[in-house]
Amino acid sequence: MNLTLKVWRQKNATSRGHLTTYRVKEISPDMSFLEMLDVLNERLILDGDDPIAFDHDCREGICGMCGLVINGVPHGEQRATTTCQLHMRHFKDGDTIVIEPWRAAPFPVVKDLVVDRSAFDRIIEAGGYVSVPTGSAPDAHAVPVPKASADTAFDAATCIGCGACVAACPNGSASLFTAAKITHLGLLPQGQPERARRARAMVETADELGFGGCTNIGECTAVCPKGIPLATIARMNADYLGLAATGD
Amino acid sequence: MIDRGAATAPVQAPDQGAGRARTERTTATKGSRATTRYRGAVGKKAVMAVTGALMIGFLVLHMIGNLKVFAGRDSFNDYAAWLRTVGEPMLPPSGFLWIQRIGLLVILALHITAAVQLTVQAKRARPVKYHVKRRVQQSYASRTMRWGGVIIAAFVVYHILDLTVGVANPAGTAADPYTRLVADFQRWYLVVAYAVPLLLLGLHLRHGVWSAAQSLGRGGTARERPIKLFATGFAVVLVAGFLLAPVGVLVGVVK
Amino acid sequence: MSTEFYRTGAPIEDGKAPDGVIAERWDNRRFAAKLVNPANKRKLTVIVVGTGLAGGSAAATLAELGYDVKSFCYQDSPRRAHSIAAQGGINAAKNYRGDGDSVHRLFYDTVKGGDFRSRESNVYRLAQVSVEIIDQCVAQGVPFAREYGGLLDTRSFGGAQVSRTFYARGQTGQQLLLGAYQAMARQIQAGKIEMHPRTEMLDLILVDGRARGVVTRDLVTGEVRNHFADAVVLASGGYGNVFFLSTNAKGCNVTAIWRAHRKGALFANPCYTQIHPTCIPVSGDHQSKLTLMSESLRNDGRVWVPLTGGDTRAPADIPEAERDYYLERIYPSFGNLVPRDIASRAAKNVCDEGRGVGPGGLGVYLDFADAIARLGRDAVAAKYGNLFEMYERITGEDPFETPMRIYPAVHYTMGGLWVDYDLQATIPGLFVIGEANFSDHGANRLGASALMQGLADGYFVLPNTIGDYLAAGPFEPLDDAHPEVADAAEAVRTRVAKLLAVNGSRTPDSFHRELGRIMWDYCGMERTDAGLRKAVGLIQALREEFWRDVLVSGESEELNQQLEKAGRIADFFELAELMCIDALHRTESCGGHFRGESQTPDGEALRDDETFSYVAAWEYTGDRPVLHREHLTFEYVKPSQRSYK
Ligand SMILES: Cc1cc2nc3c(=O)[nH]c(=O)nc-3n(C[C@H](O)[C@H](O)[C@H](O)COP(=O)(O)OP(=O)(O)OC[C@H]3O[C@@H](n4cnc5c(N)ncnc54)[C@H](O)[C@@H]3O)c2cc1C
Ligand code: HEM
Ligand code: FES
């Protein structure tokens, strides 16, 4: 199929960007979205143009490195899918596709479609861990964990840190990301001792970094490739406020 | 020279962690618990939720009170007078009303302040807009919270000038409450002027009730649907309750 | 013989290997190792390149011990290292099931699984330490699968007779890596780890023969910079991407260890490559990587191809009688559950016979129709639902309706830098951990053992052994002006400039694809003398063309992904040649190395213990590499020939 792409091009963090139009021909429906961009890049290089920079690594939906806003939706319209897993068969011949980077003040553009997401690392560094130095652990069976808590914790722990939640949120909030970690650790017995401090430190760090607040709209969970539920945000709020959380 | 990171003792107290641990937070932890919490977006949301809930409580009572209009002129005017004398002699005349007014004003001020602060924070978080942005999930109600809120606030001012102070009322400041009310709603455009903000209030609460539950950590996957259903039902009942009086006047049930 | 390709040098020995009763060796070594005075630890800096399971766990643990750590990865966050993609699970000899598992049995299985090409001492230690890994990870909050009683669930994986694989749904690697990442995050916050994401190591700094630092390029600004330390740890992962198409992440590369190899570290067993049988086949020329489908699918799926070649009917239209369930036919007792290498080679054979299915005839069916009939659709969905979804997302086909198509793909590289029992390479002060070293898996790795090895190395082994070296530090302070440092940095700058200066007519990827094709055809599932000789010639010619005709766009002082690629490909060329030479010299078949000339009458791999019971450790010379043999002895597990018939 033949497509028209409008791609955000920006030389570096300080320069102004703009949408540039490219036409790509003979795209196979079996290609992934990133393979389609690979094809375009190969052509751009041979034409002496600067290829489009975009982040990616595993290309199987787990590393969280990829992420493009495709026609206004982070990771594209297909639900529960990362950009690298999105395939061209979901587009039609003749389609125009607008491709933009994640947009949020704490995620400055590095080049073209590449943004700097290190703010997420800062949030985890603020307290997204259990403080257990290597070698100090008791036997793994010393503390049983109810299966239900373990499963809910796991659901939250599947977050890949891609940042689509921030990109989608009208407030540029990192609540879903932050809440996923707070929920994961807060549901396990191992996470209890630091639970209150963790929530406070992580939430305050997100604010300091310039993310917005949550208004419970739910765009984040709708675009989340792992479907992290909004319930995690309720848990985060409860932990932050020092209230007991309800439900899951 | 070998360049090395900051030297620290291996034992770390997380809050006082050296190295790159944020100094801002160390200062931030000073001050009372409430003010520290308020500094974060989550704290602001909690304030909005609590103030919102209090205002809802007021609205429910207000709505029920309004229904007195169907009991007749005297009954309604007595109710209005009672509001001014309740609590006497422990309270000065209109004391209860003033306590309530001041309380509501403070509550509204807190609600609006937090809303404005959060809106500013959100705008700052997305300085560059998308060329194309599609909504995947958000409802009309959730999207209109901010503008809806502003319109509701403007309405509240008008509403007070109209029915409390009376300067904006066709019947003027001298008339009794019942007369003012009837004077208003005999005019269809004033019914519309009330109905539109009320419908917006309904939308505001449809999302607001769910949002408040989430903000206070009362949400959850299993509760999401029930809470949202309740919010919709509640908003409908409240708005309908408020609309009964204006519509009653308009169609002539109340004269 | 193939000696025109290499020279033979003096044998080497593992100087740190303890002797005595195998179960006590690790204790003995730890006791014999020198300790670093706690007050001295913060005067010592350790560089850790890589933030996967191995590097992440090592960086966190070293920082907890009090060392100053500098950590590097090429991704934008340490949490994205390729370990994140591991699906199946992690082995540990916990024997929580009481099904007869033990440290000794895990040791035995691993040595045997490695086809008797690994060191007994190392493997025994790995099995011992495995138990502590699970404890550590649980304490960190890794959400392993649990049973209703709240205890950990395990499964049997990759044909193991005991249930010793701990897992977190299909995302074990992710959860373990996040555990290590979070431990790192805590140390970053504490100022003990200085983290450098989007930073690529491009050379090793040697001063007076010791590893003293790395030269890096900042991938955002292009700045080339020196970092100094008292010891350098490489945890840069595997090099499967030399084949272009593999299950590895796109950025996986050999650069870090290859640069160290060029500076004198021996490279061991480069040709041992694991090819995974259940991957989604190539769909066209645009293919950029291959996706692994969990091996567990073979528990219920049946593998088949049409009986005759050129059969283009839809799978459902092919009657039972015209299908060849070849694994069940050839290996009646193991059937679809034969080990990875056997399943892979069998698939290749039927495709070579022209009976493959799907685009290009490179695929075989993995059919769940029987399982669905037997267990019901819901049961199959419960077990494999997410895998089916993942398959459908990529291929657009629903495995409930039509059989999956699978084909083998390069998955794991057992080879890597040679290290002694302390995990120290032949360069003093250079330590290598995780997939980047060659240490524990011999000629083939068991499923769920790579995660175990990465974490064993990083959490428990290296932090103990590195002290023995660092006890002699801190070493002389260095600065950029030091001649050996300045030379290393200059060499990096020159190389970057050279890549940009070629300004030819072919893209880096086009070279990489072609190199991968050569490797897959001649150094893949089946290797032959003639093929390997041809490959060496082709690689040399292609490399020469690369340096003459590659077109790297952009500049060096910016984010330049083409430049990153080109640098990695340049190193892959050199590695590819060494892999072929290693494969050529090892005229036996063993584990992940199958030589067409060395097979039993019924086509099974045939080892030659008499001649090849050694680790092939290669020395870089710039010309013909020099082979150093480390002889392997087996005191506890006597070599035997596998049979899966
Ligand atoms: C799809 C898939 C599934 C797997 N499933 C399993 C499984 O179920 N069980 C199992 O045991 N094993 C499994 N494996 C194998 C296992 O995941 C890997 O062997 C293991 O994770 C490697 O860990 P590592 O820490 O050595 O390296 P990696 O995780 O690959 O990390 C390498 C690190 O080095 C950095 N790096 C590399 N080069 C440079 C450079 N030049 N400069 C700076 N930094 C650099 C990278 O940024 C990265 O941080 C699987 C592998 C794949 C591909
Ligand atoms: C009768 C008056 C009002 C009532 C009963 C009310 C009620 C509520 C409630 C219950 C919430 C949910 C709080 C939460 O998110 O946790 C809310 C949110 C909000 N209100 Fe009000 N409110 C009123 C007036 C206003 C006014 C006057 C404004 C505007 C200035 C306003 C602006 C907002 C905003 C911006 C939010 C947050 C949006 C969101 O969560 O998505 N409200 N309100
Ligand atoms: S590239 Fe790893 S999630 Fe898309």
Side-chain angles (χ1 to χ4, degrees), chain C residues 335-374:
Chain C
N336 294 299
L337 291 175
V338 290
R340 291 179 179 175
D341 54 326
I342 293 184
S344 295
R345 219 165 38 247
K348 173 181 157 49
N349 289 342
V350 295
C351 292
D352 287 351
E353 290 162 17
R355 297 196 285 145
V357 297
L362 292 176
V364 300
Y365 289 126
L366 180 62
D367 198 338
F368 288 87
D370 285 358
I372 294 168
R374 182 167 39 102

Side-chain angles (χ1 to χ4, degrees), chain C residues 42-124:
Chain C
R42 62 191 165 78
K43 298 184 193 143
L44 293 162
T45 305
V46 181
I47 282 175
V48 181
V49 178
T51 59
L53 286 181
S57 58
T61 306
L62 292 171
E64 285 162 6
L65 287 173
Y67 298 109
D68 275 333
V69 176
K70 290 186 186 185
S71 192
F72 299 85
C73 68
Y74 67 76
Q75 293 92 344
D76 69 337
S77 163
R79 66 179 287 153
R80 306 199 201 283
H82 175 57
S83 296
I84 200 108
Q87 304 171 352
I90 176 165
N91 289 332
K94 278 283 196 189
N95 194 27
Y96 278 157
R97 298 259 161 176
D99 59 358
D101 199 11
S102 63
V103 166
H104 200 90
R105 186 175 297 281
L106 177 54
F107 156 67
Y108 174 89
D109 287 353
T110 308
V111 171
K112 184 163 175 255
D115 225 1
F116 305 95
R117 292 293 173 264
S118 51
R119 289 185 196 139
E120 284 191 331
S121 304
N122 282 53
V123 176
Y124 199 91

Side-chain angles (χ1 to χ4, degrees), chain C residues 132 157 167 229 349 370 456 508 575 581 610 637:
Chain C
E132 293 174 68
F157 194 72
Y167 66 101
N349 289 342
D370 285 358
L575 165 76
I581 292 172
E610 198 65 23
V637 191

Side-chain angles (χ1 to χ4, degrees), chain A residues 215, chain B residues 45 48-49 55 111-112 115 145 149 153 204-205 207-208 211-212 215:
Chain A
T215 52
Chain B
K45 280 313 295 279
M48 291 194 69
M55 287 192 283
H111 192 82
I112 295 181
M145 291 303 274
H204 194 85
L205 294 185
H207 181 70
S211 184
S215 298

Side-chain angles (χ1 to χ4, degrees), chain B residues 186-241:
Chain B
Q186 281 165 341
R187 298 171 170 80
W188 67 267
Y189 53 87
L190 286 183
V191 174
V192 173
Y194 268 76
V196 169
L198 277 173
L199 290 173
L200 278 173
L201 178 70
L203 284 177
H204 194 85
L205 294 185
R206 210 200 95 172
H207 181 70
V209 169
W210 151 247
S211 184
Q214 276 280 106
S215 298
L216 295 175
R218 313 289 91 186
T221 307
R223 295 164 159 241
E224 181 164 343
R225 263 182 64 84
I227 294 179
K228 284 189 169 167
L229 275 175
F230 168 78
T232 310
F234 176 79
V236 168
V237 169
L238 192 82
V239 172

